[in-house]
Amino acid sequence: MTPLHTLGRAARREWGPLWTAVRAALVTERLRAVPMTLAAVCLTALLQVVQNRSWGYGPVQALGAVRAEDPLPAALLRTPLSLFVPALDLPVWGALAQVLLVFGIAEICLGRWRTLLIAYVATLAGTLYARIGVAVGPDGFLGLPGTDAQVVDTGPSAAVVALAVCVCCAYRARFTGALVVAVMVVEIVVKDNLAGKEHLAAIAVALVLCAVPALRGRRRQGLGEGAGTRSGAPPIRS
């Protein structure tokens, strides 16, 4: 078997089930398969346009920019919209492409409400980590410098990273999932900033969210096997 055939088999094993699920949904339903994703892309683009206007920057910051120095109630109220506020110092097309691709795949493979839940929880994890890290200080474990309290949270990127990891876990694309985690670790090594650390916090939460259903499934399987053998006792033979 040639290296090309080996690579093809590995690719089919890694991405085959995921590709089949996404392709089937898009072929049968087309854009109706990803209405939430399309709304998210439009909202992200709209917020980018508005925040780059002199009259729009203040309202977008007041409604969707989260910083560790903000009062916790205000930060929690802003967190849902902060999912869709792109970073001002990065090209918006990158954020739009990430949301379209990753949110779209997740909406098809995980379901609309589960996708939104993971995205929100991952973003919230980054927000809370920043707050705790600043409180701990730069000398503490996983602590952050006080200046990070004034840095705006990551926007959609933390949600994108968490969703990518959850999709990989759900479809057993282990290499791809490990690659996503590795890239985020390299990001921290190369550019040690708040965004990269919030991405790692989002990944940690995503792994927990993936582990819980798996553990429940194993527990139910164990209980089922136990029930079939009278609480684990060997079956009586006549």
Side-chain angles (χ1 to χ4, degrees):
M1 184 176 293
T2 66
L4 189 60
H5 284 98
T6 302
L7 184 61
R9 287 185 61 184
R12 286 191 295 272
R13 184 169 57 249
E14 179 78 6
W15 299 309
L18 180 61
W19 167 255
T20 300
V22 172
R23 183 177 182 276
L26 293 178
V27 167
T28 56
E29 300 185 50
R30 298 185 183 276
L31 295 181
R32 294 191 302 274
V34 288
M36 182 269 294
T37 299
L38 296 177
V41 170
C42 292
L43 180 57
T44 303
L46 176 63
L47 290 173
Q48 171 68 7
V49 171
V50 172
Q51 73 175 349
N52 277 282
R53 299 293 186 270
S54 59
W55 51 266
Y57 176 78
V60 171
Q61 292 292 302
L63 295 174
V66 179
R67 299 175 178 85
E69 67 179 2
D70 296 335
L72 183 58
L76 294 177
L77 288 174
R78 294 171 183 166
T79 298
L81 188 62
S82 74
L83 273 166
F84 309 106
V85 179
L88 286 168
D89 59 339
L90 296 176
V92 69
W93 60 264
L96 294 177
Q98 289 177 6
V99 172
L100 179 63
L101 179 64
V102 178
F103 271 67
I105 293 174
E107 184 174 3
I108 291 171
C109 296
L110 303 178
R112 187 172 309 151
W113 297 113
R114 188 178 176 191
T115 296
L116 283 174
L117 177 63
I118 293 170
Y120 175 74
V121 171
T123 303
L124 185 61
T127 296
L128 296 178
Y129 161 71
R131 187 174 297 270
I132 294 171
V134 169
V136 169
D139 297 328
F141 179 66
L142 298 178
L144 297 170
T147 53
D148 280 350
Q150 301 172 1
V151 178
V152 178
D153 280 354
T154 61
S157 60
V160 165
V161 170
L163 287 171
V165 170
C166 286
V167 169
C168 289
C169 289
Y171 282 79
R172 300 183 182 278
R174 295 185 177 90
F175 176 79
T176 306
L179 183 61
V180 172
V181 176
V183 168
M184 294 301 103
V185 173
V186 171
E187 178 188 14
I188 287 291
V189 174
V190 174
K191 188 177 181 181
D192 187 7
N193 58 11
L194 177 60
K197 293 175 181 177
E198 288 186 344
H199 292 162
L200 293 184
I203 288 174
V205 168
L207 292 176
V208 171
L209 292 175
C210 292
V212 169
L215 292 175
R216 286 180 177 175
R218 291 179 183 177
R219 184 179 179 185
R220 289 174 182 173
Q221 183 179 5
L223 291 174
E225 291 175 355
T229 58
R230 296 189 182 184
S231 301
I236 298 175
R237 296 181 181 178
S238 57

